Amino acid sequence: PLLGSALSVPAAALPSVLVNAATVITEGYDLSVIGGVLVLIREDLQLTPWQEGWLIGVQFFMMALGAPISGYIGDALGRKKALAMIFVLLTAGPLTMALSAGFKSFIVGRILLGLGIGGGVNIVSAYLAEVSPADVRGRLVGLEELFFVLGGILGSLSNFYLVDLPRSWRWMLGVGALPPLLLLCVLASPLVLESPRWLLLQGRMEEAKAVLNKLLKPAEVRQALDEWAHQASQHVEPWINVVRPADARKRDALLSGIVVSIMNTGCGITIITVYLATFLEEQSELGDEHGLGYLVGFNTLRAITVVLTLTFISDRWGRRDMLLFSSVGIIIAMAILMTAYSTGAAFLPYKLLGLGAVAVAHPIGLGSAAWPYISEVCSNDVRSKSISFMIFCARIFSGFATMSVPTLLRTIDIAGLFACLLVFNFFGLFAMYYCVQETRGKSLEAMGVVVDKVDGKI
């Protein structure tokens, strides 16, 4: 009850909100732990640069595939049943990797985990948007970023404390199966409710009203039901109408969501999280243990920034302002890192400054505001599938980006890699400036008319 009060959400909604937000712990854990695991398994599994790239990249491709599949399942069976299937995949993937005998079986585990993570991100984003009051939606949906970073901290702590065990990388990966297994048990509880807006889309009006009354404030319940009654479309649109919408406003909403979703991971945060220990190790500056220790510090700084952002900035600043401010910070951080790595190993403090700047800049907007934006910007009839398509595009991009890193490190070195990320972020800032329209404080039923041409921006 105290936590529900602090978040301005009814106590009945709290189990549903927390279980869904905590789903992304697994993704955060894996992206962090795999960075330490890579340092340990290169010789153990005798990985080539090509295999190392595929080992990371294949998971993002599977995330891209898992998102639309889960969107279909979530619309057909409901958000809770879709989440149950996702938790099974999120448990099976880490266990398969931990027990793998070689590269091929390890890849199977990455595939299972990728499908689960991609599906989980999609269902969680849709669910949290659908059960959150409009005035605190940014804070609640932003919990995804908080739990993602907490998963990262757990992953880096696992690396740090398990590194001296025999076959340590197997233990590091296997521990990742515990959070989804626990969440699967909690999901079976009646305290976790079905999405009321999904029930409305199924024509189960009375059930939807009952759940709405538990989750939302009375004024928002009345507003949601009134707006729903006047909407022309009360069904879930087919995929063709999602990816090729006839309505110009829906096209604009989809485009802006794709841009923000790609920038959420493509700005460089994923590459740094996965390869941070490698960056430091390859410069012969730090041993394995110290490199893993800095990974703990990196994720801890991100977590502190997320908490401060959710407390003092989310739902006070606009989504657009947060995204642009964060993007400028990332550009500055990439410039610092490019300069530091081009001048040699003597500039380790400047490298840590640049990494710290990334850890602070990303959560302020591209982390905590991206998820609320992509879950809010589309109308009810296309929301789940639109989020799936946005995540599909972003994960395909991230798959190719992360897969290419081992090769790039051997051709243009680390400084060149950060130079590429600097240029990409300049283009990303420009795209968001012209594509992103404010959505803060709008009801989800009103999103069909939020995105329009205003002052030359979408």
Side-chain angles (χ1 to χ4, degrees), residues 112-387:
L112 294 175
L113 185 61
L115 289 170
I117 290 174
V121 170
N122 170 48
I123 294 298
V124 166
S125 297
Y127 184 94
L128 288 180
E130 291 169 347
V131 303
S132 303
D135 56 342
V136 293
R137 189 182 302 123
R139 195 177 308 159
L140 295 183
V141 179
L143 284 173
E144 285 186 70
E145 178 69 8
L146 175 60
F147 280 104
F148 177 89
V149 176
L150 290 178
I153 292 176
L154 292 175
S156 52
L157 287 174
S158 177
N159 284 339
F160 188 76
Y161 285 107
L162 299 179
V163 68
D164 293 326
L165 292 178
R167 300 181 181 273
S168 58
W169 63 268
R170 296 184 185 275
W171 287 102
M172 294 174 183
L173 293 168
V175 169
L178 296 179
L181 184 61
L182 176 62
L183 290 172
L184 181 61
C185 298
V186 177
L187 185 66
S189 166
L191 294 176
V192 181
L193 305 172
E194 182 57 85
S195 163
R197 289 180 172 93
W198 179 80
L199 293 171
L200 285 167
L201 288 171
Q202 306 307 306
R204 296 157 63 176
M205 182 66 71
E206 293 306 315
E207 292 178 68
K209 287 181 180 178
V211 177
L212 275 174
N213 284 322
K214 294 180 180 179
L215 294 175
L216 303 180
K217 300 174 183 178
E220 189 166 17
V221 171
R222 290 191 297 271
Q223 180 185 6
L225 294 176
D226 289 343
E227 290 176 346
W228 189 271
H230 289 89
Q231 282 185 337
S233 175
Q234 297 188 27
H235 64 284
V236 178
E237 292 284 1
W239 270 106
I240 188 63
N241 292 344
V242 174
V243 299
R244 296 182 61 185
D247 189 328
R249 290 173 297 192
K250 289 184 178 180
R251 286 199 302 271
D252 294 342
L254 183 65
L255 174 62
S256 67
I258 290 172
V259 169
V260 171
S261 187
I262 288 176
M263 289 300 297
N264 169 251
T265 56
C267 66
I269 189 68
T270 300
I271 289 175
I272 289 175
T273 302
V274 172
Y275 290 100
L276 187 146
T278 298
F279 291 160
L280 297 176
E281 180 209 32
E282 291 197 354
Q283 293 292 300
S284 300
E285 295 160 340
L286 300 166
D288 289 352
E289 185 174 345
H290 288 90
L292 297 176
Y294 278 111
L295 185 57
V296 175
F298 178 79
N299 284 309
T300 301
L301 184 57
R302 287 181 68 190
I304 293 171
T305 308
V306 171
V307 171
L308 293 176
T309 299
L310 294 178
T311 304
F312 299 108
I313 298 177
S314 293
D315 296 311
R316 291 180 174 87
W317 289 18
R319 313 281 191 250
R320 185 171 183 272
D321 291 340
M322 292 174 68
L323 290 167
L324 297 179
F325 183 82
S326 177
S327 184
V328 170
I330 291 290
I331 289 172
I332 295 172
M334 293 302 167
I336 295 173
L337 288 167
M338 180 190 68
T339 303
Y341 273 98
S342 65
T343 54
F347 286 81
L348 175 60
Y350 293 97
K351 297 173 184 179
L352 298 179
L353 174 64
L355 293 170
V358 172
V360 171
H362 184 267
I364 290 175
L366 290 173
S368 58
W371 294 116
Y373 184 82
I374 66 174
S375 62
E376 290 172 338
V377 72
C378 294
S379 56
N380 278 331
D381 55 344
V382 296
R383 177 169 297 108
S384 181
K385 289 190 176 73
S386 293
I387 294 173

